[in-house]
Amino acid sequence: MQRLIRHGLMFGNLFHVASPALAQRYNRALNHLTGKTTKLTDFHIDISGYSPEVGDELQDHLYLNHAGVNRQFILLSVEQRHCPLLNTKFSTSRGILRQFIDANEAQLFALTARDAVAGELVNSVYDISTPQRLFDIRRVEVEADTVGGTVRDAEKLGEMVARFKTEPDGWYDDVLIAQMIELAGKTGDVVRNPVRLRQMGFDQRNYWTAHFGGLYLFQDVEHPAVIAPAGAGHLGDLPIKYVFDGSQRNQIAKFFEYNDLVETIVEGRQDHAAAILKQKMDFILVDAVADQGVDLTGVTRADMRRLARRYHDMLPEEFHALGALVRWAENGGKWPRISSDHPAYFYTLRAADTKDAALVNMLLAELAPKDARQMFICHKELFYRTYAGWPEQKKAFVVDFLLAEYQVDKAGARETLFGHDAPMAEPVPRKPDPVPDMIARVGPWGAVRGR
């Protein structure tokens, strides 16, 4: 992991807490939220205020995310919006925090100039002891204020100002006037400069969670299902009819098709299809030969062709199928049929342009695990976990590739690979539905009970 950290591929782009004032504000917020404090005065935090160094010190890396649900956050600067989210438990959390910061940028800039802002991503579930509890999560609300309660006091002062202006005896109420003066000393002039954070809520129906081995819940699609790549045997009875594990490739392929969630790389990126497929083949080749003592330092395209010829007999089906697709894309000829039960099938797909594109690309990264680049971009939690078990030669090759081909132009790489910037898509804030959705849906595999 040190190689990843050294090159900024892990714990990169974190916000540096280096001044005594910032460290003191962080400590006040930490104590306010958790009752804990840190002795550190120099550390790094992610978009939520979580710090790996503080987690090590407290021996608790969920100190802001107890039980992995209702994540708390500490904001010291609006610049945290550019940071990653570490120890992700729900795929929607970073997007929600980013949108909250963007929507309240001016207010947060003013508030964090004097104090830390502390808050929580709140839903109605306080523990996820069973998989069934995941289906109780429908919306996430953002609650936030400074440690000193500036927003709360500003609202109270606003109410007092309204009373002062409207009540007949307001001008003569010495107690009210004294209270207004006291609060104004804390909040400033709320009439000219109102201190107010926009209240935001987000639907959470389609998402990935790290709980129970990693699950993908697709509830807000025409044909709902849960995908459990690591296996579904431990989940028990869920309040959804269709649950597929990673071995049920045909069913997952049909799920994608029926919900119009994917497209082939060839149809989606005709101008770059061959190059994308060749790079996928490179990762598959390296995966096959990395433990053969092959030196992969500085390999060129010609070197990769020589390795493919030398180790042709030990290369997996995925390599040969993608090679046939490359030949079709470059030279025409017979279309290679790659069915959903073929090991290469999910390597040929990318998410279609839908609101769930980021989630779909994340799932595809798990279904096509030899494509290290897509895994790094779309599913970093899985990438770091998988990376730890790779041979040293593969680790070095992947890191060098990411530095040369991805880090130098992240936006350009995502545009080439995914077309519509899918991995960076954010959840959309919505107002609560006036009436719960009680419409029973019918899926392609039979009637699905309404939820």
Side-chain angles (χ1 to χ4, degrees), residues 90-92 205-209 215-219 221 255-256 261 351 354-366 378-379 422-425:
F90 291 92
S91 59
T92 54
R205 305 298 309 286
N206 299 345
Y207 61 90
W208 168 85
T209 176
L215 303 177
Y216 296 80
L217 282 75
F218 291 89
Q219 303 171 82
V221 293
F255 165 79
F256 282 150
L261 293 175
T354 71
K355 66 181 179 64
D356 295 310
L359 184 63
V360 173
N361 276 324
M362 187 179 189
L363 175 53
L364 286 172
E366 196 154 355
C378 302
H379 199 335
M424 303 301 289

Side-chain angles (χ1 to χ4, degrees), residues 10 39 57 79 88 122 127 204 214 235 254 317 326 356 367 399 403 425-426:
M10 186 176 188
K39 296 179 181 178
E57 178 196 21
E79 292 305 308
T88 305
V122 182
D127 79 284
Q204 182 149 313
L235 300 179
K254 289 178 181 178
E317 292 182 68
V326 168
D356 295 310
L367 297 171
V399 168
L403 291 174
E426 309 287 11

Side-chain angles (χ1 to χ4, degrees), residues 154-391:
E155 291 178 355
K156 186 184 298 184
L157 179 57
E159 294 171 358
M160 290 180 176
V161 170
R163 284 176 52 198
F164 178 77
K165 289 181 176 180
T166 58
E167 292 182 359
D169 298 328
W171 289 87
Y172 308 104
D173 191 334
D174 292 338
V175 174
L176 176 62
I177 293 172
Q179 290 173 338
M180 288 170 58
I181 293 173
E182 181 182 359
L183 276 181
K186 299 179 182 179
T187 66
D189 187 347
V190 298
V191 176
R192 294 184 180 180
N193 302 294
V195 181
R196 186 179 299 113
L197 292 176
R198 178 182 168 191
Q199 298 298 310
M200 302 182 72
F202 299 80
D203 285 347
Q204 182 149 313
R205 305 298 309 286
N206 299 345
Y207 61 90
W208 168 85
T209 176
H211 294 280
F212 308 107
L215 303 177
Y216 296 80
L217 282 75
F218 291 89
Q219 303 171 82
D220 186 23
V221 293
E222 187 175 358
H223 307 299
V226 169
I227 314 295
H234 63 294
L235 300 179
D237 293 330
L238 300 180
I240 193 168
K241 187 170 183 179
Y242 298 102
V243 180
F244 306 128
D245 64 36
S247 67
Q248 295 175 284
R249 300 173 61 86
N250 292 334
Q251 288 88 337
I252 295 174
K254 289 178 181 178
F255 165 79
F256 282 150
E257 179 184 350
Y258 290 140
N259 290 296
D260 295 321
L261 293 175
V262 296
E263 64 187 14
T264 66
I265 291 171
V266 173
E267 73 176 304
R269 286 260 48 165
Q270 293 183 7
D271 50 341
H272 294 288
I276 294 171
L277 292 170
K278 284 180 180 178
Q279 288 174 333
K280 289 177 181 286
M281 291 173 64
D282 288 346
F283 288 120
I284 295 170
L285 171 61
V286 168
D287 181 74
V289 306
D291 58 356
Q292 300 297 311
V294 177
D295 184 4
L296 298 172
T297 306
V299 292
T300 64
R301 174 60 57 191
D303 295 329
M304 297 300 285
R305 288 196 297 269
R306 282 193 290 271
L307 285 173
R309 289 193 293 269
R310 179 179 176 185
Y311 294 97
H312 182 271
D313 292 341
M314 63 180 295
L315 295 179
E317 292 182 68
E318 296 97 315
F319 183 90
H320 299 300
L322 294 185
L325 197 55
V326 168
R327 289 191 294 274
W328 175 87
E330 291 185 329
N331 306 313
K334 185 178 180 181
W335 169 259
R337 177 170 175 76
I338 303 175
S339 60
S340 58
D341 57 356
H342 194 287
Y345 178 75
F346 292 115
Y347 289 87
T348 70
L349 302 178
R350 71 171 193 171
D353 190 1
T354 71
K355 66 181 179 64
D356 295 310
L359 184 63
V360 173
N361 276 324
M362 187 179 189
L363 175 53
L364 286 172
E366 196 154 355
L367 297 171
K370 295 177 184 178
D371 186 350
R373 173 180 53 185
Q374 176 150 339
M375 189 188 297
F376 177 79
I377 297 172
C378 302
H379 199 335
K380 283 189 173 57
E381 298 291 319
L382 178 63
F383 177 86
Y384 295 139
R385 189 166 67 247
T386 307
Y387 174 93
W390 288 344

Side-chain angles (χ1 to χ4, degrees), residues 383-403:
F383 177 86
Y384 295 139
R385 189 166 67 247
T386 307
Y387 174 93
W390 288 344
E392 284 301 315
Q393 287 291 345
K394 182 175 179 179
K395 290 180 180 178
F397 174 86
V398 170
V399 168
D400 290 345
F401 180 93
L402 292 174
L403 291 174

Side-chain angles (χ1 to χ4, degrees), residues 110-126:
L111 291 171
T112 55
R114 296 186 298 175
D115 201 355
V117 171
E120 186 173 349
L121 305 184
V122 182
N123 63 62
S124 59
V125 176
Y126 297 98

